[in-house]
Amino acid sequence: MTTMTPEEIRRELGENARAPHGTARNLHAEALAAAAEATGDRELFRRALVGLIEAYEYSAERTKMVVPFARLLQEYDRDQGVFTAREVHRLFWRFKWVAGRIVESPEIPLSAVDGWLTDMERRYRLAGYSERAVRQAEFYLADATGDHARMERAITGWAAAERDSMSDCHACEINTQGWYWARKGDDAKAIEVWQPVLADGLGCMEEPHRVLAHALLPLVRLGRTDEARTYHLRGYRMARGKESLLRSVGEHIEFCALTGNESRGLEILAEHAGHLGPLADVESQMEFAGGVLVLLRRLTDLGHGDGPTVAYQGEVRSAKELYEALYTAATDIAARFDARNGTALVSQRLVDRIGQKPLVGALPLGVRSAELPSVPLHTQTRPDGAETRPAAGDLAAGGTEPDLAALVGRARAARQQGHPSAQGLWAEAARIAEAGGEGTAHADLSDPALAGDLLVYRAATAASSGDPGARSLYAEAAASYRAAGQHSRASHAELAIAGCATQFDAGPAEIRELLAAALGAAEALDEADPERLRRLVGAELTALRIESHLRERAADEPESPVDDRLVAELEGFVAAYGDEPAALTAGPGSVADLVADSELLLAKLALVVDDLDRSAPLLDSAARRLLAAEHPWDAVEPLSLLAGVLAARGELEAAESTARTALDHAAELADGADQAGVRLTLADILLRRGEAGEAVPHALEATHWLDQAGLAATSGARARLLLARAYAAAERIADAAEVLQSALPDLLEHGEGEGVEARELLGGLLRELHDPRAAAEQYLLAAETAKGWDEPRFEAGLAHSAGEALAAAHLRSEAEAAYGRSLELWRCVGGNPVAEVRVLRSLAWLAVGDQEDEESAERIARARDLMEQALAVVDGSEEPGMRYERAQTWQQLARLLQGTLPEDEEEDESSPEARATREQMVGLFDRATGLYTEFGEDALDERFQCVAHAAWTESELGRAESATARVSALITELAAWEGDRATDLKNRAEMLLDQLR
């Protein structure tokens, strides 16, 4: 490096200033500073020192800036005259950084820190600066040492001093001022102070990143969980991967640990595991580790202490192992600060932070996170933090084991009622029976009826998991019931045997034999048995469904997507039993739910062939039957489907009302997928009605339920796609992008259609987040997926979007290739001249490029040719959309010509070519204005722009009277229009007229 020339050093200083912040940039800055010093060029050395200070400031080595700053200060004291005004300002500005950093180095004595502050105050006073920045630096020292009296004096003096050119940006000051109130335990006041940064857009290099992280736990403590959620999604996206924001990353991890999102916390930790080791900025190391330790402690408390986390010092550590290593390092750093400060404050703050308890049971974030190892069902949580334990009422005071006999009684009552809690109750009963102990003291474990009940639970569980052993378990259950004299239950178990035989592909003859046996068992029941009719009807309905399945198995290719014979048989079934007293009432022998099941199946078969009008009354009837039979939980499915049918028919108000009714009846559903389904239906309807803000929480809860049900990769991914759409419609773009990016790998596994839809939506979100490169990547990947589709319009549209994103990213050649691909496809497809025209106009603007380029004249000629091609596509058409595009093309061609005018005023005024160009521009603006007039209020903005540009152009041509006349005419016309938009444009036109005069 010492052999570099000054010119080479200057060039590399400029390149390094544009490099990403981090270790590599710091190392290069250090080498350049050494090389600059070796040249003896003092100005170059000063510039290199500033580059080094700035590199350190936005990295994990912030505290190292003290040394180069001291060197820079020495240069200033040696000869102040060689410093330019800009260099002096930069020197004093960075004095604040150093004054705030030295307190973060435990090796620097307090006397030295105070000395820096005293020197800073003296220099600022002599330079005529306010003491505001000095008092702010003093506040940091007082807070670090726990000197509350000095802290109060400092913040009072800070607030009283005037803001000047040395004051931190408003957002940074608000950060610290809110943090002061958070330190005092006043969460509400802290959030109030932070509000301009949180919501009003104040920001800088590291804001609102830091404030968004600081606000997370105070918001949760205040019960404002929706804000905390969105600030986490938005804030972590900003802080991710930035070395200087490791403290904020630690706060996001801590937030996840205390809100039931431990898996999300682990993912964030994995993305930053490389920073777990020693850092030059030891306070950042301790603060980052503090957030991680909260997570690791929480994982251990949940029983995951032996589970793997991330690599540390070359080896993947368990939660317990990583906790021990980080705890030792963090507490050692805290002890060093305490030794320097003469207090135990830093260590106590660290211990208090690590020991925090969860703030909520579960706060759904909407993002997809890898699942932690499973935990028992009774410890899973609902979105509101309540436990989903179905038998919570059976727990005795003090958390003792429930009594098995009482639990079985509840389970049988729930089964008789058809209540969804029955399966969970039987699960708990089976666990207690298997474990033995005090809970079984009052139960007769030899009772064959109890044995049959537990066998049925085991059989149902086995069948749902695809275990063929379910059939033999049902057979054992039937035998136990018969031994207990419970022939109705035995009949039901025998019907389940036939169902298992069908599920596991037994032969048709065997299945029919089993069906006949089950029907015979039902017929043999005593005429006085209140459940006899129910068993007979249930056997008949099951036989209809199984026979349809057997016909489908026997056919090589079904003639129709719907089994017409089954439809006829189900219709006959409903006709036969639908008006029976047992189908109209509740009670042990009611068959209302069986008739409703038949109607529900008929409705689903109608939906297979998109017969909405046939399905709607069937769904309505099924829901009404179930509600009359006091089975509201079973009415949720037909109501949800009915809401979807109504929405598809455009009856959105009725659809919303029906979906809300379904949700009202869903409270007792135990299945996560069922809970999610009704919420997704309502969310989709609300989104169609333009109520995106209300759709969001329903879609969010749906993702939580699906995650709990183990369906995150399938139904959960689709739910996240809907949630992202709702967030986007609600203009919560960062939330939408985070949710969608987390679900994208799953959605790509669902097929090309969903993958393309997800990538296209994500591309749009990333563009709105000012990340055009990433947006272009999504569009191009989606276009590649759609490349082989029969309909090339998808690929053409995606290529156009990619071109726009690439152009915004200043990747000119790549953008031109994408636009060219789109244009070729649109021309090949035909039938969409609007799309073709828009691509041609985009190519024209791209062709203009940098007008200082040597090829600028050639590029301008190409741009004009492309605009002429666009006009050729739309000329002659009287279709309104085409006429609008013609006006757009004339207007854009005029603007393009405006950009070709000479920048030099003297050259411009003396050029006949420039005058001719202006005359052409006025004509184009006038032609566009004439067409826009046809569109009335819908094109008022476009008309105003054309009139304004034409007026200015005429003014430049020396036709002031004509320029003011056209604007006056527009003002008169706008005065006749009603509405805020017309009024606003009229006011702007009046201002324009004043300027022209």
Side-chain angles (χ1 to χ4, degrees):
M1 272 294 185
T2 54
T3 60
M4 294 175 67
T5 65
E7 291 71 20
E8 290 171 332
I9 295 171
R10 287 189 177 89
R11 184 178 65 251
E12 293 205 22
L13 282 171
E15 292 174 358
N16 202 41
R18 294 186 292 273
H21 289 284
T23 304
R25 175 169 171 172
N26 293 355
L27 289 172
H28 196 35
E30 289 167 359
L32 290 171
E37 185 175 18
T39 66
D41 184 331
R42 310 314 297 174
E43 184 278 331
L44 182 59
F45 181 46
R46 294 195 300 275
R47 180 179 169 187
L49 287 173
V50 169
L52 181 54
I53 293 166
E54 292 195 344
Y56 285 148
E57 169 64 7
Y58 297 105
S59 75
E61 298 181 312
R62 277 178 157 166
T63 52
K64 292 173 71 173
M65 73 169 66
V66 177
V67 173
F69 180 78
R71 296 291 305 277
L72 187 62
L73 198 58
Q74 288 174 358
E75 292 291 311
Y76 179 74
D77 289 339
R78 176 187 299 173
D79 187 355
Q80 297 181 13
V82 300
F83 276 65
T84 65
R86 183 167 181 267
E87 286 179 320
V88 172
H89 185 273
R90 294 169 80 182
L91 174 75
F92 278 87
W93 183 264
R94 282 152 187 79
F95 212 132
K96 297 186 310 177
W97 292 359
V98 175
R101 295 292 161 256
I102 52 176
V103 74
E104 297 169 2
S105 297
E107 286 71 28
I108 299 180
L110 290 181
S111 58
V113 177
D114 267 322
W116 274 93
L117 287 175
T118 301
D119 190 37
M120 177 184 179
E121 183 171 12
R122 178 183 64 83
R123 290 177 184 269
Y124 271 43
R125 185 171 57 252
L126 290 174
Y129 294 125
S130 162
E131 67 173 20
R132 190 178 182 92
V134 179
R135 299 284 78 82
Q136 182 177 354
E138 183 182 14
F139 172 81
Y140 293 138
L141 173 59
D143 174 71
T145 58
D147 188 338
H148 298 293
R150 187 175 187 183
M151 191 189 313
E152 295 293 338
R153 290 196 305 272
I155 201 163
T156 300
W158 174 8
E162 292 183 5
R163 285 186 57 82
D164 64 1
S165 62
M166 282 298 116
S167 300
D168 266 355
C169 82
H170 198 192
C172 288
E173 287 200 333
I174 285 173
N175 171 10
T176 308
Q177 290 162 0
W179 169 45
Y180 162 75
W181 290 104
R183 269 276 198 258
K184 298 181 73 170
D186 192 338
D187 290 332
K189 181 65 175 179
I191 297 299
E192 179 188 340
V193 172
W194 283 327
Q195 196 61 30
V197 178
L198 291 172
D200 298 345
L202 287 178
C204 64
M205 277 280 287
E206 293 187 338
E207 296 299 353
H209 318 46
R210 296 181 300 176
V211 168
L212 289 168
H214 292 334
L216 295 175
L217 297 185
L219 283 168
V220 177
R221 287 193 290 264
L222 291 169
R224 295 163 62 174
T225 53
D226 189 57
E227 292 168 86
R229 177 192 300 111
T230 197
Y231 292 157
H232 165 67
L233 296 176
R234 176 183 162 205
Y236 178 61
R237 184 178 190 85
M238 292 177 166
R240 177 191 285 133
K242 294 181 172 63
E243 281 190 2
S244 64
L245 294 172
L246 282 175
R247 303 177 195 216
S248 297
V249 172
E251 288 175 292
H252 283 282
I253 293 173
E254 178 182 7
F255 163 78
C256 291
L258 299 177
T259 57
N261 292 287
E262 295 82 10
S263 59
R264 166 77 167 174
L266 270 177
E267 290 177 353
I268 296 175
L269 172 59
E271 291 181 336
H272 298 85
H275 296 295
L276 283 175
L279 301 176
D281 183 349
V282 294
E283 187 172 60
S284 285
Q285 179 186 342
M286 179 183 67
E287 294 292 338
F288 175 51
V292 176
L293 287 166
V294 176
L295 171 67
L296 297 174
R297 177 167 180 152
R298 180 64 184 147
L299 288 170
T300 302
D301 289 345
L302 290 173
H304 301 298
D306 295 325
T309 56
V310 297
Y312 178 70
Q313 295 182 344
E315 181 181 349
V316 175
R317 307 298 182 99
S318 70
K320 287 181 181 176
E321 292 169 339
L322 186 58
Y323 178 90
E324 291 172 1
L326 295 183
Y327 184 83
T328 299
T331 52
D332 283 350
I333 294 172
R336 287 161 57 191
F337 275 107
D338 287 340
R340 192 270 308 268
N341 297 341
T343 71
L345 179 65
V346 177
S347 294
Q348 188 60 53
R349 284 176 177 171
L350 179 63
V351 169
D352 291 344
R353 181 183 186 187
I354 297 170
Q356 293 176 96
K357 298 297 182 184
L359 298 174
V360 294
L363 173 60
L365 299 178
V367 290
R368 167 82 153 96
S369 295
E371 296 179 30
L372 294 172
S374 61
V375 294
L377 177 65
H378 63 270
T379 63
Q380 293 179 3
T381 53
R382 300 165 59 103
D384 57 7
E387 291 189 354
T388 58
R389 180 192 297 238
D394 292 309
L395 286 176
T400 58
E401 192 77 274
D403 179 77
L404 179 60
L407 188 58
V408 168
R410 286 179 174 273
R412 286 172 174 165
R415 180 180 65 195
Q416 185 70 38
Q417 191 186 6
H419 196 279
S421 66
Q423 185 74 354
L425 290 163
W426 283 120
E428 187 76 354
R431 183 189 66 79
I432 294 171
E434 184 177 348
E438 292 182 8
T440 62
H442 300 97
D444 181 3
L445 296 179
S446 64
D447 177 14
L450 176 58
D453 290 337
L454 297 177
L455 283 164
V456 165
Y457 162 72
R458 289 173 55 200
T461 303
S464 65
S465 63
D467 181 359
R471 180 174 169 179
S472 62
L473 289 170
Y474 274 123
E476 289 182 53
S480 292
Y481 283 135
R482 282 193 292 271
Q486 294 189 1
H487 299 292
S488 176
R489 296 299 310 159
S491 167
H492 189 262
E494 290 192 30
L495 191 61
I497 295 171
C500 278
T502 306
Q503 178 183 352
F504 297 109
D505 296 326
E510 182 183 3
I511 292 172
R512 291 187 174 108
E513 183 179 340
L514 291 169
L515 279 171
L519 180 59
E523 290 173 338
L525 292 174
D526 192 300
E527 293 283 349
D529 190 329
E531 291 194 343
R532 184 174 186 276
L533 177 62
R534 180 174 178 79
R535 297 298 175 222
L536 287 168
V537 173
E540 183 179 342
L541 178 58
T542 301
L544 294 180
R545 302 180 74 159
I546 289 178
E547 285 294 346
S548 175
H549 175 74
L550 293 176
R551 287 194 295 273
E552 184 180 338
R553 274 170 51 178
D556 292 334
E557 289 187 14
E559 296 180 2
S560 167
V562 172
D563 183 348
D564 293 331
R565 180 174 168 184
L566 175 62
V567 171
E569 289 171 342
L570 288 171
E571 289 174 339
F573 181 90
V574 173
Y577 298 109
D579 294 329
E580 287 281 331
L584 302 173
T585 59
S590 173
V591 296
D593 58 323
L594 300 176
V595 177
D597 283 348
S598 302
E599 292 175 318
L600 179 59
L601 180 54
L602 279 169
K604 289 180 178 178
L605 292 171
L607 289 174
V608 169
V609 293
D610 294 325
D611 191 343
L612 304 181
D613 292 336
R614 174 170 167 72
S615 67
L618 287 164
L619 292 167
D620 182 62
S621 177
R624 290 178 184 278
R625 285 185 190 278
L626 292 166
L627 291 173
E630 299 177 3
H631 282 216
W633 46 85
D634 288 331
V636 171
E637 183 180 8
L639 285 169
S640 294
L641 287 173
L642 178 58
V645 168
L646 293 169
R649 296 199 311 198
E651 302 172 38
L652 293 180
E653 185 175 350
E656 181 184 340
S657 175
T658 304
R660 290 190 184 280
T661 301
L663 184 59
D664 289 341
H665 294 313
E668 295 181 89
L669 291 177
D671 185 82
D674 293 338
Q675 287 281 2
V678 64
R679 286 167 169 79
L680 287 174
T681 298
L682 179 56
D684 183 54
I685 293 167
L686 288 167
L687 191 55
R688 294 193 201 190
R689 297 200 72 187
E691 301 292 340
E694 193 176 353
V696 164
H698 294 296
L700 185 65
E701 281 197 38
T703 65
H704 176 86
W705 282 110
L706 292 168
D707 289 350
Q708 292 267 332
L711 300 172
T714 52
S715 303
R718 296 187 181 95
R720 285 184 169 85
L721 181 57
L722 178 63
L723 175 59
R725 287 173 47 219
Y727 271 138
E731 299 184 357
R732 294 168 63 173
I733 307 303
D735 304 53
E738 282 293 297
V739 167
L740 189 52
Q741 281 184 307
S742 74
L744 185 60
D746 294 326
L747 290 167
L748 294 176
E749 296 295 322
H750 291 188
E752 291 185 347
E754 283 196 44
V756 167
E757 179 186 356
R759 287 197 187 280
E760 183 177 21
L761 176 57
L762 181 56
L765 295 171
L766 292 170
R767 283 197 68 185
E768 290 196 55
L769 291 170
H770 310 293
D771 193 352
R773 283 175 177 261
E777 180 184 8
Q778 295 301 325
Y779 288 133
L780 290 171
L781 288 169
E784 282 302 301
T785 302
K787 196 170 186 177
W789 291 4
D790 294 335
E791 177 52 80
R793 286 181 172 82
F794 294 102
E795 182 187 355
L798 290 163
H800 189 179
S801 297
E804 291 178 335
L806 289 164
H810 306 293
L811 298 171
R812 184 178 174 279
S813 59
E814 292 87 345
E816 190 169 4
Y819 281 136
R821 176 181 177 181
S822 177
L823 182 62
E824 181 181 354
L825 285 165
W826 285 124
R827 284 175 169 171
C828 177
V829 173
N832 197 335
V834 170
E836 186 178 344
V837 165
R838 290 178 178 176
V839 177
L840 284 165
R841 290 200 303 251
S842 296
L843 276 168
W845 284 109
L846 193 66
V848 174
D850 183 357
Q851 294 200 34
E852 295 181 2
D853 191 289
E854 292 179 359
E855 301 175 355
S856 62
E858 182 180 334
R859 288 185 178 184
I860 291 167
R862 171 164 166 69
R864 294 186 65 163
D865 177 64
L866 287 163
M867 284 289 187
E868 294 295 341
Q869 289 183 45
L871 283 170
V873 174
V874 294
D875 272 353
S877 173
E878 295 304 314
E879 195 272 322
M882 296 287 281
R883 290 177 68 78
Y884 177 84
E885 292 301 324
R886 190 184 309 161
Q888 280 276 299
T889 307
W890 280 333
Q891 181 182 359
Q892 291 192 37
L893 176 56
R895 295 295 306 278
L896 187 148
L897 292 173
Q898 186 177 32
T900 67
L901 293 170
E903 293 185 8
D904 185 276
E905 291 185 13
E906 292 185 7
E907 180 185 347
D908 186 1
E909 291 175 0
S910 63
S911 168
E913 292 84 3
R915 185 171 186 83
T917 297
R918 285 194 167 87
E919 293 284 6
Q920 186 179 359
M921 287 167 53
V922 172
L924 288 167
F925 282 131
D926 282 343
R927 293 166 78 182
T929 300
L931 279 184
Y932 283 140
T933 303
E934 299 176 9
F935 296 93
E937 190 173 3
D938 291 338
L940 275 181
D941 285 276
E942 291 89 340
R943 281 185 62 201
F944 173 81
Q945 291 295 329
C946 286
V947 171
H949 282 292
W952 277 118
T953 307
E954 282 206 295
S955 177
E956 290 164 350
L957 286 168
R959 303 202 292 257
E961 186 175 340
S962 176
T964 56
R966 68 171 64 236
V967 177
S968 297
L970 180 61
I971 291 170
T972 301
E973 183 179 350
L974 288 170
W977 288 87
E978 295 182 356
D980 294 340
R981 190 71 199 125
T983 301
D984 178 57
L985 289 175
K986 177 176 171 289
N987 292 336
R988 290 170 59 188
E990 289 171 345
M991 291 173 61
L992 173 62
L993 187 60
D994 289 340
Q995 292 170 341
L996 288 168
R997 285 172 173 166

